[in-house]
Amino acid sequence: EDYAFTLGIRGKVFGDWRWDLSSTYGKDVAKLGVDNSANISLYTDTGSTPLQFDAGQFRASQWANNFDLSREFEIGWATPLTLALGLEHRRDTYAIVEGDAASRYKEGSQSYPGFSLTDAGSHSRDNKAVYVNLAVQPVQGWTVDIAGRFEDFSDFGNAKVGKLTSRYDFSPKVALRATYSNGFRAPTLAESYYSATNVSPRSAFVQLAPNSPGARLVGINGLKPEASTNISAGLVLTPSANSAITLDAYQITIRDRIVGSGSLYGSGGAVNSPAVTAAILANGNVLDPTVVQTGINIFSNAVNTRSRGMEAVATMTSNYGSYGRVDWSAAANYNHVEVIKINQAPPQLQPQTLLDETAISHLETASPRMRVNLGALWKVGAWTVNLRENYFGKSSEQFSSDGSIYYENTIKHKLLTDLEVSYQFSKAWTLSLGANNLFNEYPDMVNPLVLAEQRANLDNGAVTIYPAFSPFGINGGYYYARASLKF
């Protein structure tokens, strides 16, 4: 279930002041179920077990209310000064609904236990904000934009963020632009309160909520907000009326970044911490006594990261007369993410670390550093042909079943083709045939050494023969037909 609606009204007041009042509400409910499974402990204790389980629900909602004012003032500069002011109120809710009794009896339904009573809960947050924005051209061609925002959170105190942007147009064909800003991101309610149990035939891991009593036993007492600093500079070129080029470089530094931990072992790992086992018990989880490996995963402010990169975008339109028009596009992005600091793990977890090699690789190498997208949109008469070429650079992930030996899963660079052909029968009707990943490309398979180890350990992760971190998915080509009606 997913729905949202928005109401708004706007107008003018006191002469030249423009005002806008809006309210948006949205809600999402995800119901989870398990089919063709069983609860072995329930069968052992009672002689029967369901084969279908209601594992619980996720519920999330957001209600946002905004009031904006803006006006222009003549101050004798090249353009009028634009002043914008605003107020915002936002209320977020997040809830986990427990699974049915059979799904959470002892270790729960096999493959996916239902949410326990300790997982379940309802949480909310209120956020109030005020902001101001000033934009003006002091002299012809030089634009300055300054913005500031103050926010007050019901659970995290307040924050002040700002942004300074400037652009100078040397001519209609050449401009420079730059931005400096600081940012603030409060943990989402899901990051703070999500809890679940993940099982395999030989292991059981608890996703521990950072705000739970169990988390405090491993030295984590909730989450704090992230802080960031962002710097970018770029060149804007307009060589002709039908072409444009932008080149930008950027650096984003995030402090106390919220990330999922690596695997923290209570038993069966290369290094184990008794506090992990205590945390699992304190969380109210009953784990299958036949498993040989237990542990937790948890969100924490574990790391500082720095992203440096460059982006280039070029567009051009070519008119071929009776042969139609083609809109050409090219976009390239290089992004290098580096972990520059790992915050020390609490004493209760040492010598384990909050981020193992797997978690670090998810930040640094699991996404390709290089992406290139080429496009051509050809329109002639009632026909439209949209061709896209998508290049993905190399990506990789480190994997270990117990934290001792790590293997690398690698996806080599790939080129994928998307194609859509449309014909407009009338002003109302259009028929389209298309394909995403036209030539049915797949990522490289999981390292054979990983699969062999998983199969030897009876780990059901071995059924996944393609890496889950693939930037273009693991399902191959997608082919479709679509009829569109406009009225």
Side-chain angles (χ1 to χ4, degrees), residues 20-34:
D20 190 314
L21 178 64
S22 64
S23 182
T24 299
Y25 179 81
K27 186 173 183 178
D28 179 77
V29 178
K31 299 178 181 179
L32 307 179
V34 181

Side-chain angles (χ1 to χ4, degrees), residues 78-96:
T79 63
L81 170 69
T82 299
L83 170 65
L85 306 165
L87 300 172
E88 181 180 70
H89 170 262
R90 188 172 70 243
R91 180 171 177 79
D92 296 280
T93 68
Y94 175 76
I96 297 178

